Amino acid sequence: MSRLFQPLTIRGTTFAHRTWVSPMCQYSCDPVGAPGVPNDWHLVHLGSFATGGAALVLTEAAAVTPAGRISPQDAGLWNDEQTQAWRRIVDFLHGQGAAAGVQLAHAGRKASTHRPWDEEQGSVPVEQGGWETVGPSAVAFGGYATPRELDEAGIAGVVQAFADAAVRADAAGFDVVEVHAAHGYLLHQFLSPLSNRRTDGYGGDLAGRSRLLLEVVDAVRAVWPQEKPVFVRLSTTDWVEGGWDVDSSVELSRELAAHGVDLVDASSGGNSPDAKIPVGPGYQVPPAGRIKRETGVLVGAVGMILEPAQAEQLLVSGDADVVFLARALLADPRWVQRAAVALHERGTLAWPPQYVRGTRDDVPLVTPRT
């Protein structure tokens, strides 16, 4: 059996294989009629990956408070209406044999922004449906609005909001929660010296800058069922001199494991508009490999993993335990089924009966090129 199609059990959850869906923001909720409520777009978007054979489907970032949304159109998990809407999607994913995970997030100083494809960019003014943003320090991201520095009461509120969202995630039926501490959002902002200028117990050295993330992890783990896994997504480096780096990520990953985190989802960047990121196939794999080898924690690799042989090799090499796909699945939601053919694992993957006709040897599965 190929490494990619071997099952993996974490706590009480068994994943059918090791090809998982990375969180991908869709900016597609109704910000006026149903703020933060996932809808038919999310059902079809996420459901297509489940029918395509993914073993775990992670949702986009679900904000733990209204002010934690990246944009007014972001999904959330702070009320009952959202919980029920997610339940509908989770039930469909389970019906296709996929595990379901939700990424819990707070955007911090990168909240209240226009969608990437909007003509206008940057922060959304309050009079246009935006809101005041918060951060570890009053340091803006690029040309965004300057955030209000969180006081200790505000920090405690963030911790509680993550715990409350985890309770709702369990009620919605999710199998996994992932705490988003990457891509320049609030928890990453606290980790990085570029954005955290505090001199109290939540700033300064690595221990201080890591304190909020560890408090969030402890609060989530306390309310999340013990048999269900908790993941953390890290930006392993800011790609900026003097910023968060791989050495810090290795040290933090050890600490996260000690606090009950089961897997580190190793991404990078997002906290500085000045970062020079060498984007290319597998560009984030080396930091993932370092974390895995030096800490022993389970690691997921992500970032321009495009072809089945490439995914298989990074698992065989020991750089990661699972692969997270994003762009490859946007191009071809049936990437996993194509990989099963390419790696001679057609018989190990459960195919929806509606699509069995597409598995004939004389019908090749080809990735669309854009």
Side-chain angles (χ1 to χ4, degrees):
M1 176 179 287
S2 76
R3 184 72 173 164
L4 196 63
F5 284 94
Q6 287 181 359
L8 177 65
T9 298
I10 306 177
R11 293 185 184 254
T13 302
T14 296
F15 304 93
H17 54 82
R18 299 168 187 241
T19 311
W20 297 355
V21 179
S22 186
M24 292 177 271
C25 289
Q26 298 297 291
Y27 311 102
S28 295
C29 295
D30 179 354
V32 178
V37 178
N39 51 44
D40 286 350
W41 175 266
H42 302 86
L43 173 66
V44 175
H45 166 69
L46 297 170
S48 68
F49 305 136
T51 61
L56 169 65
V57 179
L58 274 172
T59 72
E60 64 191 85
V64 297
T65 68
R69 291 171 293 167
I70 303 167
S71 77
Q73 294 83 10
D74 272 29
L77 193 48
W78 67 78
N79 65 34
D80 291 343
E81 185 180 5
Q82 294 158 359
T83 305
Q84 291 305 310
W86 283 121
R87 179 87 218 193
R88 173 188 177 219
I89 294 169
V90 169
D91 287 347
F92 182 84
L93 300 179
H94 286 164
Q96 303 306 309
V102 60
Q103 186 185 65
L104 304 180
H106 192 300
R109 67 176 183 166
K110 291 177 73 175
S112 187
T113 62
H114 292 280
R115 295 174 297 182
W117 58 81
D118 287 342
E119 183 176 349
E120 191 173 359
Q121 289 294 289
S123 299
V124 178
V126 173
E127 59 272 18
Q128 295 180 24
W131 54 88
E132 180 188 42
T133 60
V134 297
S137 304
V139 178
F141 177 84
Y144 291 7
T146 300
R148 172 175 54 84
E149 180 174 313
L150 281 167
D151 59 18
E152 291 204 9
I155 289 172
V158 168
V159 174
Q160 187 61 52
F162 272 92
D164 292 344
V167 171
R168 293 186 184 281
D170 186 45
F174 283 105
D175 306 293
V176 173
V177 291
E178 176 173 271
V179 175
H180 197 359
H183 300 167
Y185 299 123
L186 184 64
L187 300 181
H188 182 187
Q189 292 161 25
F190 269 82
L191 293 174
S192 174
L194 300 178
S195 44
N196 186 342
R197 310 286 176 80
R198 303 175 75 97
T199 57
D200 64 1
Y202 290 94
D205 61 8
L206 178 61
R209 288 181 281 111
S210 302
R211 180 179 170 185
L212 175 56
L213 173 56
L214 294 176
E215 288 183 356
V216 166
V217 165
D218 287 344
V220 168
R221 188 74 268 180
V223 299
W224 186 245
Q226 285 301 305
E227 69 274 13
K228 293 184 178 183
V230 171
F231 301 168
V232 169
R233 172 163 271 192
L234 289 180
S235 277
T236 57
T237 174
D238 283 334
W239 300 105
V240 174
E241 186 71 28
W244 184 258
D245 58 22
V246 179
D247 289 341
S248 299
S249 293
V250 170
E251 188 171 344
L252 177 59
S253 295
R254 290 194 187 96
E255 195 72 16
L256 289 170
H259 284 253
V261 170
D262 301 291
L263 180 142
V264 170
D265 178 358
S267 188
S268 72
N271 198 41
S272 172
D274 300 321
K276 301 294 187 289
I277 303 177
V279 176
Y283 71 104
Q284 295 174 149
V285 171
R290 270 200 61 192
I291 291 172
K292 178 170 169 53
R293 292 186 180 91
E294 295 183 27
T295 70
V297 68
L298 292 173
V299 171
V302 63
M304 296 290 283
I305 299 169
L306 303 175
E307 295 299 334
Q310 176 194 7
E312 175 73 9
Q313 181 54 40
L314 73 88
L315 297 185
V316 170
S317 68
D319 286 311
D321 299 281
V322 302
V323 296
F324 287 97
L325 301 182
R327 277 174 272 204
L329 287 173
L330 292 179
D332 179 8
R334 316 232 168 270
W335 189 98
V336 179
Q337 292 164 337
R338 182 171 65 83
V341 173
L343 298 174
H344 310 291
E345 296 289 353
R346 183 192 301 269
T348 68
L349 192 65
W351 295 67
Q354 297 93 330
Y355 295 150
V356 167
R357 287 178 294 177
T359 69
R360 300 196 312 267
D361 289 336
D362 61 335
V363 181
L365 303 177
V366 179
T367 303
R369 297 296 180 185
T370 57

